Amino acid sequence: MEKNQKKKFDIMDYFSVIRTIAALLLSMIIVFVIILFVSETPGLAIQKLMTGPLETKRSFFNVVVRAIPLVFTGLGLTLCLKSGIFNISSDASFYMGAVVATAIAISVPLPNIIHQAALILAAAVVGGLISMLPVIVNKYTKVNPVVLAIMANSIFYYFGLSIISTFFLEKSGSWGSYPFPDDARLGTMIKGTSLHYGFLVVIAATLFVIFLMNKTSFGYKVRVTGSNTAFAKVSGIRTGFVILMAQFIGGAIAGMGGAIEIVGVYRRFQWQTQTQYVWDGLLIYMLANGNPTFIPLTAFFIAYLRVGAEIMSRATDLDPEIVTFLQGIIILLVASQRFLYFIKKRHDQKLSLKQAQAEEGGAAA
């Protein structure tokens, strides 16, 4: 027999992907059944939910625009979580990224392109520094970083809100900052849609994270540190530095997302409530199984369902909150370690039996 035989294709090598797809399909079936019972026009409701975003060019690109902040948050969380630290301060980085971008857009006059680049870069730096705080404070206080991250999300929300209210709030009209100058906003890529040039930035950020995590020594160190910190230390990896840098890069990506969302979609800062993108990012991270390559796909899926639900609510008697229920089912199934576990267990048992029989046959020969 040849020593370098090609490994036979085994569909169970992709068990996590199959499990996620099964969870999505089962969740959709459950929602469809609920719609059949609660809606007076179930057929129209399901049709609008599933195909509504494809009916017009504007609706489809609304999905893309809605997916952009989800991708940024999902990518940022990928760096943070892969390092082994459950740091969910992405909302703080995202919100403050938008605040910093607003401050630079309004108070720092710069030429077009340079203006956008400056505010995005500043937001990235601030977002990265904020994301490092739970890890740094944990080192000296031993307070759980999850608690610190949740506190950071609230603290920086109120801090950012006070900055806007004190320095940049327009006194007349509804609550909001002074309008952004045109040379600070991200222009429209496709006429007749809301797609802005932040789409190009999110593509670049996705390619950067994929390359960083899969093709560089730093990405390898992050994965090793996250999976086994003790082994990483024995191997000579400076785990403290790796964890801090992973938090900084993850927070910087989230901060960029906040800046791009505020100057790409809005004409002024109007966020009076705390953002909740971190929970979307966690859902997207789970659906992508921690693989940054799949983050844009899962973000698009979530955005598609939300836009479809809004179209459905305008055409039928159902509320768009049904997508929230759908997301809850998906989280429950994906997070459940026992979902479809019997298939994996049966496959492993058969594989172990074959290996044992092969070893017995070799010993007898």
Side-chain angles (χ1 to χ4, degrees), residues 92-140:
S93 298
F94 192 93
Y95 193 86
M96 284 304 297
V99 171
V100 170
T102 298
I104 294 176
I106 295 173
S107 60
V108 182
L110 290 170
N112 192 25
I113 299 179
I114 296 177
H115 207 168
Q116 293 96 328
L119 62 86
I120 291 173
L121 180 60
V125 173
V126 171
L129 294 175
I130 290 173
S131 185
M132 294 170 66
L133 288 178
V135 176
I136 295 173
V137 175
N138 167 259
K139 180 178 180 181
Y140 294 102

mmCIF file of all heavy atoms in Angstrom, residues 92-140:
data_model
loop_
_atom_site.group_PDB
_atom_site.id
_atom_site.type_symbol
_atom_site.label_atom_id
_atom_site.label_comp_id
_atom_site.label_asym_id
_atom_site.label_seq_id
_atom_site.Cartn_x
_atom_site.Cartn_y
_atom_site.Cartn_z
ATOM 1 N N ALA A 92 -19.243 49.043 23.165
ATOM 2 C CA ALA A 92 -18.548 50.261 23.605
ATOM 3 C C ALA A 92 -17.641 50.782 22.506
ATOM 4 O O ALA A 92 -17.612 51.982 22.220
ATOM 5 C CB ALA A 92 -17.749 49.973 24.877
ATOM 6 N N SER A 93 -16.893 49.873 21.879
ATOM 7 C CA SER A 93 -16.002 50.272 20.781
ATOM 8 C C SER A 93 -16.808 50.816 19.610
ATOM 9 O O SER A 93 -16.433 51.827 18.995
ATOM 10 C CB SER A 93 -15.157 49.078 20.336
ATOM 11 O OG SER A 93 -14.330 48.621 21.383
ATOM 12 N N PHE A 94 -17.905 50.158 19.280
ATOM 13 C CA PHE A 94 -18.739 50.556 18.147
ATOM 14 C C PHE A 94 -19.344 51.944 18.385
ATOM 15 O O PHE A 94 -19.279 52.826 17.509
ATOM 16 C CB PHE A 94 -19.846 49.519 17.947
ATOM 17 C CG PHE A 94 -20.599 49.649 16.657
ATOM 18 C CD1 PHE A 94 -20.217 48.935 15.536
ATOM 19 C CD2 PHE A 94 -21.711 50.481 16.559
ATOM 20 C CE1 PHE A 94 -20.915 49.048 14.336
ATOM 21 C CE2 PHE A 94 -22.405 50.605 15.374
ATOM 22 C CZ PHE A 94 -22.006 49.882 14.264
ATOM 23 N N TYR A 95 -19.929 52.143 19.566
ATOM 24 C CA TYR A 95 -20.594 53.412 19.864
ATOM 25 C C TYR A 95 -19.592 54.554 19.929
ATOM 26 O O TYR A 95 -19.814 55.632 19.353
ATOM 27 C CB TYR A 95 -21.350 53.297 21.184
ATOM 28 C CG TYR A 95 -22.315 54.433 21.428
ATOM 29 C CD1 TYR A 95 -23.605 54.388 20.922
ATOM 30 C CD2 TYR A 95 -21.933 55.547 22.163
ATOM 31 C CE1 TYR A 95 -24.500 55.421 21.132
ATOM 32 C CE2 TYR A 95 -22.812 56.595 22.387
ATOM 33 C CZ TYR A 95 -24.099 56.529 21.870
ATOM 34 O OH TYR A 95 -24.970 57.569 22.072
ATOM 35 N N MET A 96 -18.473 54.334 20.624
ATOM 36 C CA MET A 96 -17.477 55.395 20.733
ATOM 37 C C MET A 96 -16.803 55.657 19.389
ATOM 38 O O MET A 96 -16.361 56.778 19.120
ATOM 39 C CB MET A 96 -16.446 55.034 21.791
ATOM 40 C CG MET A 96 -16.935 55.200 23.223
ATOM 41 S SD MET A 96 -17.529 56.881 23.586
ATOM 42 C CE MET A 96 -16.029 57.834 23.349
ATOM 43 N N GLY A 97 -16.707 54.632 18.554
ATOM 44 C CA GLY A 97 -16.191 54.847 17.207
ATOM 45 C C GLY A 97 -17.069 55.827 16.449
ATOM 46 O O GLY A 97 -16.576 56.718 15.743
ATOM 47 N N ALA A 98 -18.384 55.701 16.622
ATOM 48 C CA ALA A 98 -19.323 56.627 15.982
ATOM 49 C C ALA A 98 -19.216 58.021 16.581
ATOM 50 O O ALA A 98 -19.305 59.031 15.865
ATOM 51 C CB ALA A 98 -20.747 56.096 16.121
ATOM 52 N N VAL A 99 -19.009 58.105 17.904
ATOM 53 C CA VAL A 99 -18.871 59.409 18.568
ATOM 54 C C VAL A 99 -17.609 60.121 18.084
ATOM 55 O O VAL A 99 -17.644 61.324 17.756
ATOM 56 C CB VAL A 99 -18.837 59.229 20.099
ATOM 57 C CG1 VAL A 99 -18.469 60.542 20.789
ATOM 58 C CG2 VAL A 99 -20.180 58.727 20.612
ATOM 59 N N VAL A 100 -16.492 59.411 18.044
ATOM 60 C CA VAL A 100 -15.238 60.007 17.577
ATOM 61 C C VAL A 100 -15.356 60.440 16.121
ATOM 62 O O VAL A 100 -14.890 61.519 15.743
ATOM 63 C CB VAL A 100 -14.082 59.001 17.758
ATOM 64 C CG1 VAL A 100 -12.813 59.481 17.062
ATOM 65 C CG2 VAL A 100 -13.810 58.773 19.240
ATOM 66 N N ALA A 101 -15.971 59.598 15.300
ATOM 67 C CA ALA A 101 -16.164 59.951 13.892
ATOM 68 C C ALA A 101 -17.011 61.209 13.759
ATOM 69 O O ALA A 101 -16.737 62.081 12.920
ATOM 70 C CB ALA A 101 -16.821 58.786 13.151
ATOM 71 N N THR A 102 -18.039 61.331 14.602
ATOM 72 C CA THR A 102 -18.889 62.524 14.582
ATOM 73 C C THR A 102 -18.094 63.767 14.950
ATOM 74 O O THR A 102 -18.214 64.823 14.303
ATOM 75 C CB THR A 102 -20.068 62.346 15.560
ATOM 76 O OG1 THR A 102 -20.865 61.236 15.136
ATOM 77 C CG2 THR A 102 -20.925 63.598 15.628
ATOM 78 N N ALA A 103 -17.268 63.647 16.001
ATOM 79 C CA ALA A 103 -16.469 64.788 16.447
ATOM 80 C C ALA A 103 -15.528 65.268 15.348
ATOM 81 O O ALA A 103 -15.406 66.479 15.094
ATOM 82 C CB ALA A 103 -15.687 64.411 17.699
ATOM 83 N N ILE A 104 -14.853 64.343 14.689
ATOM 84 C CA ILE A 104 -13.910 64.724 13.633
ATOM 85 C C ILE A 104 -14.657 65.234 12.406
ATOM 86 O O ILE A 104 -14.229 66.198 11.755
ATOM 87 C CB ILE A 104 -13.009 63.525 13.282
ATOM 88 C CG1 ILE A 104 -12.119 63.170 14.478
ATOM 89 C CG2 ILE A 104 -12.146 63.830 12.057
ATOM 90 C CD1 ILE A 104 -11.252 61.951 14.268
ATOM 91 N N ALA A 105 -15.767 64.621 12.080
ATOM 92 C CA ALA A 105 -16.547 65.045 10.905
ATOM 93 C C ALA A 105 -17.020 66.487 11.045
ATOM 94 O O ALA A 105 -16.987 67.262 10.077
ATOM 95 C CB ALA A 105 -17.739 64.117 10.707
ATOM 96 N N ILE A 106 -17.447 66.860 12.259
ATOM 97 C CA ILE A 106 -18.019 68.188 12.465
ATOM 98 C C ILE A 106 -16.964 69.250 12.747
ATOM 99 O O ILE A 106 -17.044 70.375 12.231
ATOM 100 C CB ILE A 106 -19.055 68.144 13.611
ATOM 101 C CG1 ILE A 106 -20.246 67.248 13.204
ATOM 102 C CG2 ILE A 106 -19.531 69.538 13.982
ATOM 103 C CD1 ILE A 106 -21.230 67.014 14.324
ATOM 104 N N SER A 107 -15.952 68.905 13.559
ATOM 105 C CA SER A 107 -15.043 69.943 14.079
ATOM 106 C C SER A 107 -13.693 70.011 13.382
ATOM 107 O O SER A 107 -12.934 70.950 13.620
ATOM 108 C CB SER A 107 -14.819 69.728 15.582
ATOM 109 O OG SER A 107 -14.232 68.450 15.825
ATOM 110 N N VAL A 108 -13.344 69.035 12.557
ATOM 111 C CA VAL A 108 -12.025 69.037 11.906
ATOM 112 C C VAL A 108 -12.230 69.101 10.389
ATOM 113 O O VAL A 108 -12.486 68.076 9.750
ATOM 114 C CB VAL A 108 -11.209 67.783 12.281
ATOM 115 C CG1 VAL A 108 -9.825 67.842 11.640
ATOM 116 C CG2 VAL A 108 -11.093 67.647 13.799
ATOM 117 N N PRO A 109 -12.113 70.272 9.794
ATOM 118 C CA PRO A 109 -12.278 70.378 8.338
ATOM 119 C C PRO A 109 -11.075 69.806 7.590
ATOM 120 O O PRO A 109 -9.940 70.203 7.815
ATOM 121 C CB PRO A 109 -12.394 71.894 8.108
ATOM 122 C CG PRO A 109 -11.684 72.514 9.269
ATOM 123 C CD PRO A 109 -11.889 71.590 10.429
ATOM 124 N N LEU A 110 -11.348 68.855 6.727
ATOM 125 C CA LEU A 110 -10.300 68.198 5.948
ATOM 126 C C LEU A 110 -10.818 67.961 4.533
ATOM 127 O O LEU A 110 -12.036 67.920 4.316
ATOM 128 C CB LEU A 110 -9.901 66.859 6.596
ATOM 129 C CG LEU A 110 -9.145 66.912 7.924
ATOM 130 C CD1 LEU A 110 -9.064 65.521 8.532
ATOM 131 C CD2 LEU A 110 -7.744 67.493 7.740
ATOM 132 N N PRO A 111 -9.918 67.744 3.591
ATOM 133 C CA PRO A 111 -10.370 67.455 2.218
ATOM 134 C C PRO A 111 -11.088 66.116 2.133
ATOM 135 O O PRO A 111 -10.923 65.236 2.989
ATOM 136 C CB PRO A 111 -9.064 67.429 1.406
ATOM 137 C CG PRO A 111 -8.059 68.110 2.257
ATOM 138 C CD PRO A 111 -8.463 67.869 3.674
ATOM 139 N N ASN A 112 -11.891 65.979 1.086
ATOM 140 C CA ASN A 112 -12.598 64.726 0.841
ATOM 141 C C ASN A 112 -11.606 63.564 0.753
ATOM 142 O O ASN A 112 -10.467 63.727 0.339
ATOM 143 C CB ASN A 112 -13.392 64.841 -0.467
ATOM 144 C CG ASN A 112 -14.368 63.705 -0.648
ATOM 145 O OD1 ASN A 112 -14.804 63.097 0.326
ATOM 146 N ND2 ASN A 112 -14.711 63.399 -1.875
ATOM 147 N N ILE A 113 -11.994 62.396 1.132
ATOM 148 C CA ILE A 113 -11.218 61.149 1.216
ATOM 149 C C ILE A 113 -10.301 61.181 2.440
ATOM 150 O O ILE A 113 -10.321 60.258 3.257
ATOM 151 C CB ILE A 113 -10.404 60.860 -0.067
ATOM 152 C CG1 ILE A 113 -11.345 60.717 -1.270
ATOM 153 C CG2 ILE A 113 -9.550 59.591 0.102
ATOM 154 C CD1 ILE A 113 -10.639 60.458 -2.581
ATOM 155 N N ILE A 114 -9.493 62.245 2.590
ATOM 156 C CA ILE A 114 -8.646 62.348 3.778
ATOM 157 C C ILE A 114 -9.521 62.467 5.024
ATOM 158 O O ILE A 114 -9.218 61.901 6.073
ATOM 159 C CB ILE A 114 -7.695 63.561 3.659
ATOM 160 C CG1 ILE A 114 -6.728 63.357 2.502
ATOM 161 C CG2 ILE A 114 -6.930 63.779 4.961
ATOM 162 C CD1 ILE A 114 -5.795 64.530 2.267
ATOM 163 N N HIS A 115 -10.623 63.184 4.894
ATOM 164 C CA HIS A 115 -11.544 63.360 6.025
ATOM 165 C C HIS A 115 -12.116 62.016 6.469
ATOM 166 O O HIS A 115 -12.093 61.676 7.662
ATOM 167 C CB HIS A 115 -12.668 64.314 5.622
ATOM 168 C CG HIS A 115 -13.253 65.049 6.784
ATOM 169 N ND1 HIS A 115 -14.093 66.127 6.636
ATOM 170 C CD2 HIS A 115 -13.138 64.867 8.119
ATOM 171 C CE1 HIS A 115 -14.452 66.581 7.833
ATOM 172 N NE2 HIS A 115 -13.897 65.817 8.742
ATOM 173 N N GLN A 116 -12.629 61.253 5.533
ATOM 174 C CA GLN A 116 -13.192 59.936 5.869
ATOM 175 C C GLN A 116 -12.131 59.004 6.429
ATOM 176 O O GLN A 116 -12.370 58.284 7.403
ATOM 177 C CB GLN A 116 -13.848 59.299 4.636
ATOM 178 C CG GLN A 116 -15.075 60.023 4.143
ATOM 179 C CD GLN A 116 -14.758 60.995 3.024
ATOM 180 O OE1 GLN A 116 -13.672 61.559 2.991
ATOM 181 N NE2 GLN A 116 -15.696 61.208 2.108
ATOM 182 N N ALA A 117 -10.942 59.013 5.820
ATOM 183 C CA ALA A 117 -9.861 58.144 6.294
ATOM 184 C C ALA A 117 -9.453 58.513 7.717
ATOM 185 O O ALA A 117 -9.213 57.628 8.559
ATOM 186 C CB ALA A 117 -8.663 58.240 5.348
ATOM 187 N N ALA A 118 -9.394 59.806 8.024
ATOM 188 C CA ALA A 118 -8.976 60.259 9.349
ATOM 189 C C ALA A 118 -9.981 59.852 10.415
ATOM 190 O O ALA A 118 -9.606 59.358 11.494
ATOM 191 C CB ALA A 118 -8.799 61.783 9.342
ATOM 192 N N LEU A 119 -11.265 60.023 10.138
ATOM 193 C CA LEU A 119 -12.259 59.694 11.158
ATOM 194 C C LEU A 119 -12.382 58.185 11.368
ATOM 195 O O LEU A 119 -12.612 57.722 12.492
ATOM 196 C CB LEU A 119 -13.610 60.343 10.835
ATOM 197 C CG LEU A 119 -14.372 59.980 9.560
ATOM 198 C CD1 LEU A 119 -15.241 58.758 9.743
ATOM 199 C CD2 LEU A 119 -15.246 61.159 9.113
ATOM 200 N N ILE A 120 -12.206 57.405 10.307
ATOM 201 C CA ILE A 120 -12.251 55.945 10.452
ATOM 202 C C ILE A 120 -11.039 55.452 11.230
ATOM 203 O O ILE A 120 -11.157 54.589 12.115
ATOM 204 C CB ILE A 120 -12.328 55.270 9.068
ATOM 205 C CG1 ILE A 120 -13.680 55.547 8.409
ATOM 206 C CG2 ILE A 120 -12.115 53.760 9.191
ATOM 207 C CD1 ILE A 120 -13.771 55.068 6.977
ATOM 208 N N LEU A 121 -9.855 56.016 10.933
ATOM 209 C CA LEU A 121 -8.640 55.617 11.646
ATOM 210 C C LEU A 121 -8.721 55.988 13.121
ATOM 211 O O LEU A 121 -8.358 55.180 13.999
ATOM 212 C CB LEU A 121 -7.426 56.276 10.994
ATOM 213 C CG LEU A 121 -6.063 55.960 11.628
ATOM 214 C CD1 LEU A 121 -5.779 54.469 11.571
ATOM 215 C CD2 LEU A 121 -4.950 56.748 10.940
ATOM 216 N N ALA A 122 -9.189 57.211 13.420
ATOM 217 C CA ALA A 122 -9.323 57.635 14.818
ATOM 218 C C ALA A 122 -10.310 56.746 15.567
ATOM 219 O O ALA A 122 -10.071 56.356 16.726
ATOM 220 C CB ALA A 122 -9.768 59.096 14.872
ATOM 221 N N ALA A 123 -11.420 56.397 14.927
ATOM 222 C CA ALA A 123 -12.409 55.517 15.552
ATOM 223 C C ALA A 123 -11.821 54.141 15.826
ATOM 224 O O ALA A 123 -12.108 53.529 16.863
ATOM 225 C CB ALA A 123 -13.636 55.400 14.649
ATOM 226 N N ALA A 124 -10.983 53.651 14.905
ATOM 227 C CA ALA A 124 -10.354 52.341 15.088
ATOM 228 C C ALA A 124 -9.423 52.356 16.300
ATOM 229 O O ALA A 124 -9.424 51.415 17.110
ATOM 230 C CB ALA A 124 -9.584 51.957 13.825
ATOM 231 N N VAL A 125 -8.622 53.408 16.443
ATOM 232 C CA VAL A 125 -7.689 53.498 17.579
ATOM 233 C C VAL A 125 -8.454 53.547 18.897
ATOM 234 O O VAL A 125 -8.129 52.820 19.851
ATOM 235 C CB VAL A 125 -6.778 54.736 17.436
ATOM 236 C CG1 VAL A 125 -5.938 54.934 18.696
ATOM 237 C CG2 VAL A 125 -5.874 54.591 16.218
ATOM 238 N N VAL A 126 -9.483 54.389 18.965
ATOM 239 C CA VAL A 126 -10.275 54.502 20.188
ATOM 240 C C VAL A 126 -10.987 53.179 20.502
ATOM 241 O O VAL A 126 -10.993 52.712 21.652
ATOM 242 C CB VAL A 126 -11.297 55.649 20.063
ATOM 243 C CG1 VAL A 126 -12.281 55.634 21.235
ATOM 244 C CG2 VAL A 126 -10.576 56.992 20.002
ATOM 245 N N GLY A 127 -11.561 52.560 19.481
ATOM 246 C CA GLY A 127 -12.230 51.279 19.688
ATOM 247 C C GLY A 127 -11.280 50.203 20.179
ATOM 248 O O GLY A 127 -11.630 49.402 21.053
ATOM 249 N N GLY A 128 -10.066 50.180 19.646
ATOM 250 C CA GLY A 128 -9.076 49.203 20.079
ATOM 251 C C GLY A 128 -8.658 49.406 21.523
ATOM 252 O O GLY A 128 -8.533 48.441 22.298
ATOM 253 N N LEU A 129 -8.446 50.650 21.919
ATOM 254 C CA LEU A 129 -8.049 50.944 23.301
ATOM 255 C C LEU A 129 -9.148 50.566 24.285
ATOM 256 O O LEU A 129 -8.883 50.018 25.364
ATOM 257 C CB LEU A 129 -7.698 52.428 23.438
ATOM 258 C CG LEU A 129 -6.451 52.894 22.671
ATOM 259 C CD1 LEU A 129 -6.289 54.400 22.792
ATOM 260 C CD2 LEU A 129 -5.194 52.187 23.180
ATOM 261 N N ILE A 130 -10.387 50.853 23.919
ATOM 262 C CA ILE A 130 -11.517 50.498 24.796
ATOM 263 C C ILE A 130 -11.607 48.991 24.969
ATOM 264 O O ILE A 130 -11.848 48.480 26.073
ATOM 265 C CB ILE A 130 -12.826 51.055 24.210
ATOM 266 C CG1 ILE A 130 -12.852 52.588 24.328
ATOM 267 C CG2 ILE A 130 -14.042 50.442 24.912
ATOM 268 C CD1 ILE A 130 -14.020 53.234 23.632
ATOM 269 N N SER A 131 -11.397 48.245 23.889
ATOM 270 C CA SER A 131 -11.499 46.793 23.950
ATOM 271 C C SER A 131 -10.416 46.168 24.831
ATOM 272 O O SER A 131 -10.609 45.067 25.379
ATOM 273 C CB SER A 131 -11.409 46.214 22.534
ATOM 274 O OG SER A 131 -11.613 44.823 22.539
ATOM 275 N N MET A 132 -9.297 46.852 24.982
ATOM 276 C CA MET A 132 -8.217 46.337 25.827
ATOM 277 C C MET A 132 -8.506 46.501 27.313
ATOM 278 O O MET A 132 -7.939 45.775 28.145
ATOM 279 C CB MET A 132 -6.903 47.057 25.487
ATOM 280 C CG MET A 132 -6.371 46.766 24.097
ATOM 281 S SD MET A 132 -4.984 47.857 23.670
ATOM 282 C CE MET A 132 -3.732 47.315 24.833
ATOM 283 N N LEU A 133 -9.361 47.447 27.665
ATOM 284 C CA LEU A 133 -9.571 47.792 29.073
ATOM 285 C C LEU A 133 -10.036 46.619 29.945
ATOM 286 O O LEU A 133 -9.512 46.434 31.050
ATOM 287 C CB LEU A 133 -10.561 48.955 29.183
ATOM 288 C CG LEU A 133 -10.027 50.326 28.745
ATOM 289 C CD1 LEU A 133 -11.127 51.383 28.857
ATOM 290 C CD2 LEU A 133 -8.823 50.730 29.587
ATOM 291 N N PRO A 134 -11.033 45.808 29.527
ATOM 292 C CA PRO A 134 -11.442 44.693 30.394
ATOM 293 C C PRO A 134 -10.302 43.734 30.722
ATOM 294 O O PRO A 134 -10.234 43.220 31.849
ATOM 295 C CB PRO A 134 -12.534 44.001 29.561
ATOM 296 C CG PRO A 134 -13.086 45.071 28.691
ATOM 297 C CD PRO A 134 -11.911 45.928 28.335
ATOM 298 N N VAL A 135 -9.404 43.494 29.770
ATOM 299 C CA VAL A 135 -8.280 42.595 30.016
ATOM 300 C C VAL A 135 -7.280 43.233 30.966
ATOM 301 O O VAL A 135 -6.759 42.590 31.888
ATOM 302 C CB VAL A 135 -7.594 42.217 28.690
ATOM 303 C CG1 VAL A 135 -6.358 41.370 28.947
ATOM 304 C CG2 VAL A 135 -8.565 41.476 27.793
ATOM 305 N N ILE A 136 -6.996 44.515 30.765
ATOM 306 C CA ILE A 136 -6.029 45.213 31.622
ATOM 307 C C ILE A 136 -6.553 45.320 33.051
ATOM 308 O O ILE A 136 -5.828 45.040 34.018
ATOM 309 C CB ILE A 136 -5.731 46.613 31.056
ATOM 310 C CG1 ILE A 136 -5.035 46.494 29.700
ATOM 311 C CG2 ILE A 136 -4.874 47.423 32.021
ATOM 312 C CD1 ILE A 136 -4.842 47.804 28.970
ATOM 313 N N VAL A 137 -7.809 45.722 33.205
ATOM 314 C CA VAL A 137 -8.389 45.857 34.541
ATOM 315 C C VAL A 137 -8.469 44.497 35.231
ATOM 316 O O VAL A 137 -8.210 44.377 36.433
ATOM 317 C CB VAL A 137 -9.788 46.513 34.460
ATOM 318 C CG1 VAL A 137 -10.446 46.542 35.826
ATOM 319 C CG2 VAL A 137 -9.671 47.928 33.895
ATOM 320 N N ASN A 138 -8.810 43.450 34.467
ATOM 321 C CA ASN A 138 -8.871 42.103 35.036
ATOM 322 C C ASN A 138 -7.521 41.658 35.597
ATOM 323 O O ASN A 138 -7.463 40.987 36.638
ATOM 324 C CB ASN A 138 -9.349 41.119 33.967
ATOM 325 C CG ASN A 138 -9.147 39.669 34.362
ATOM 326 O OD1 ASN A 138 -8.199 39.014 33.925
ATOM 327 N ND2 ASN A 138 -10.020 39.163 35.217
ATOM 328 N N LYS A 139 -6.441 42.051 34.933
ATOM 329 C CA LYS A 139 -5.109 41.648 35.381
ATOM 330 C C LYS A 139 -4.792 42.185 36.767
ATOM 331 O O LYS A 139 -4.160 41.508 37.582
ATOM 332 C CB LYS A 139 -4.067 42.132 34.376
ATOM 333 C CG LYS A 139 -2.640 41.757 34.758
ATOM 334 C CD LYS A 139 -1.645 42.225 33.709
ATOM 335 C CE LYS A 139 -0.220 41.845 34.118
ATOM 336 N NZ LYS A 139 0.776 42.316 33.120
ATOM 337 N N TYR A 140 -5.252 43.390 37.057
ATOM 338 C CA TYR A 140 -4.895 44.035 38.327
ATOM 339 C C TYR A 140 -5.979 43.913 39.389
ATOM 340 O O TYR A 140 -5.712 44.121 40.571
ATOM 341 C CB TYR A 140 -4.590 45.520 38.089
ATOM 342 C CG TYR A 140 -3.352 45.733 37.250
ATOM 343 C CD1 TYR A 140 -3.457 46.064 35.899
ATOM 344 C CD2 TYR A 140 -2.085 45.572 37.793
ATOM 345 C CE1 TYR A 140 -2.317 46.248 35.114
ATOM 346 C CE2 TYR A 140 -0.937 45.753 37.015
ATOM 347 C CZ TYR A 140 -1.075 46.087 35.681
ATOM 348 O OH TYR A 140 0.066 46.257 34.917
#
